[in-house]
Amino acid sequence: MAAAASPLTRKDFVSTQDVRWCPGCGDYSVLANVQRVMPEFVDKRENVVFISGIGCSSRFPYYMNTYGFHTIHGRAPSFATGIKASRPELSVWVVTGDGDGLSIGGNHLLHTIRRNLDIQILLFNNKIYGLTKGQYSPTSDPGTRTKSSPEGSIDHPIDPISFALGAGATFVARTIDVDATHMQQTLRRAHAHKGTAFVEILQNCPVFNDLVWDDVQDRKTRPSSSISLVHGEPLVYGTPGNLRGIGMQGGDPTVIELEDDDDPIEKGVVVHDEFLESTAYAFALATLCRPDFPLPVGVLRQTEKACYEDMLESQIQDAIDTHGPGDLEKLLHSGDTWQVPG
Ligand code: SF4
């Protein structure tokens, strides 16, 4: 599907629909970056499908000049499964949000991830239900006051990265709506991966949950509040004069204070490895959260596993080789059948 010299440009992926997100919404940035990288991935728009459920982010397919399905709440992963299984040559993208993907569609997301279809899943996490005007979502912080939690949310939130790792995702990454360069790099990595690529995008909802990711979105505070994951590089964050690293003690992350001229590896800072077969390290990274730790941004884990659509195709071919081509009419009239008199 990758095109060496695509005849398409970003503008070819911009639809004629008016974009109806609130001014300042982080969704605009995600849309612009997806449209920008798409010509690198395909040379025909008709080879791309964007599939969404319900929510603000789920308006995404309207704004992409490709095939698209705006489906029912939480079910985008199931539609994507059907499309990829029957048309494996297509580039299939799921766009969902924290409510759509992790509450209403949690079950569907889990089973799509574990099957490892060769698709991309973009989960916009703004920690709120925006479309229905501001109720707490499965990722809302404890104590979040909304119309549905006036005294503060008492739910224990779910972490999308841990969810994806737990479901057996073969590619798990996190990026930020305002960091165009990082998002484009992450989208390229996700597209290049063979298997389900799960990308959490930290997205600001300025209307109902403004500044929820403020410290990692702000360029000034980002170096200290997030850690950029680069394979083969030590987990160092902060700014000169205030550098720190992440070590592991008994499997638990710890913060290591560093001088500017320290060798971080000698000081015990862990070197990031995306390709570990065990999920233990990636899970440990996923537990890093502010204010005690920086938020990891980048690819946490990628590994290889057979894709569902490939195994399905192979299984069908084996059955044809063994039993010959199927006959639907014969199948329908096999076994016990009877006629209902008119
Ligand atoms: Fe964006 Fe929030 Fe408006 Fe929805 S409600 S479009 S998430 S700003």
Side-chain angles (χ1 to χ4, degrees):
M1 298 283 290
S6 174
L8 302 174
T9 67
R10 182 191 69 81
K11 285 186 183 161
D12 291 304
F13 290 92
V14 177
S15 82
T16 55
Q17 298 290 307
D18 289 338
V19 182
R20 292 189 189 162
W21 288 315
C22 307
C25 177
D27 292 1
Y28 285 99
S29 164
V30 185
L31 177 65
N33 285 303
V34 169
Q35 289 168 334
R36 190 163 293 283
V37 294
M38 203 50 63
E40 301 173 25
F41 303 157
V42 292
D43 54 10
K44 289 183 181 162
R45 288 175 305 193
E46 57 266 37
N47 285 340
V48 186
V49 193
F50 277 82
I51 306 161
S52 66
I54 297 296
C56 294
S57 60
S58 288
R59 295 193 60 78
F60 209 89
Y62 292 119
Y63 309 140
M64 291 298 298
N65 194 10
T66 63
Y67 280 111
F69 293 81
H70 187 185
T71 72
I72 47 180
H73 218 342
R75 271 54 174 179
S78 309
F79 282 81
T81 300
I83 292 166
K84 191 68 183 178
S86 56
R87 293 289 305 275
E89 76 279 14
L90 299 180
S91 179
V92 177
W93 297 71
V94 169
V95 177
T96 185
D98 41 296
D100 185 61
L102 293 169
S103 180
I104 298 94
N107 186 32
H108 298 266
L109 188 62
L110 184 158
H111 291 294
T112 297
I113 290 174
R114 78 177 169 81
R115 288 189 176 116
N116 197 39
L117 294 118
D118 187 17
I119 62 175
Q120 293 76 37
I121 298 174
L122 310 181
L123 188 142
F124 298 21
N125 186 6
N126 55 22
K127 298 191 173 190
I128 201 82
Y129 284 96
L131 189 72
T132 46
K133 305 207 179 303
Q135 298 81 18
Y136 73 103
S137 86
T139 59
S140 294
D141 295 324
T144 300
R145 289 180 186 272
T146 69
K147 288 167 189 162
S148 58
S149 56
E151 301 299 322
S153 165
I154 53 171
D155 276 11
H156 300 294
I158 189 166
D159 168 45
I161 295 287
S162 299
F163 177 92
L165 289 169
T170 52
F171 180 99
V172 181
R174 179 186 279 139
T175 189
I176 310 171
D177 57 0
V178 294
D179 191 342
T181 305
H182 190 271
M183 193 190 306
Q184 289 175 29
Q185 284 168 351
T186 306
L187 293 170
R188 288 186 190 104
R189 297 282 309 277
H191 180 261
H193 175 71
K194 173 78 173 160
T196 299
F198 179 89
V199 181
E200 178 192 14
I201 303 175
L202 311 183
Q203 177 245 324
N204 193 38
C205 169
V207 175
F208 294 111
N209 211 12
D210 196 20
L211 306 178
V212 72
W213 298 113
D214 189 31
D215 51 348
V216 290
Q217 286 175 319
D218 188 323
R219 279 170 185 262
K220 289 194 197 114
T221 51
R222 191 183 305 159
S224 302
S225 59
S226 69
I227 188 163
S228 185
L229 304 176
V230 180
H231 178 72
E233 297 285 328
L235 298 177
V236 173
Y237 64 104
T239 49
N242 191 22
L243 289 177
R244 291 173 182 164
I246 299 295
M248 294 282 174
Q249 270 187 357
D252 292 326
T254 56
V255 172
I256 298 172
E257 304 284 342
L258 297 171
E259 301 294 334
D260 287 357
D261 53 1
D262 276 345
D263 179 337
I265 299 172
E266 277 180 11
K267 288 283 181 180
V269 174
V270 171
V271 174
H272 182 51
D273 187 345
E274 299 170 356
F275 301 101
L276 292 174
E277 200 49 43
S278 161
T279 52
Y281 165 67
F283 269 118
L285 280 184
T287 64
L288 300 183
C289 60
R290 305 150 298 153
D292 296 333
F293 293 99
L295 200 66
V297 175
V299 178
L300 281 88
R301 179 173 190 254
Q302 64 169 315
T303 186
E304 291 181 9
K305 197 161 76 175
C307 288
Y308 181 87
E309 65 273 23
D310 295 340
M311 292 190 290
L312 179 66
E313 174 65 25
S314 159
Q315 195 174 54
I316 290 171
Q317 196 53 54
D318 285 351
I320 291 172
D321 293 345
T322 307
H323 306 290
D327 183 334
L328 188 59
E329 195 65 19
K330 208 167 138 190
L331 176 70
L332 290 175
H333 292 91
S334 62
D336 285 339
T337 59
W338 64 93
Q339 284 193 336
V340 179

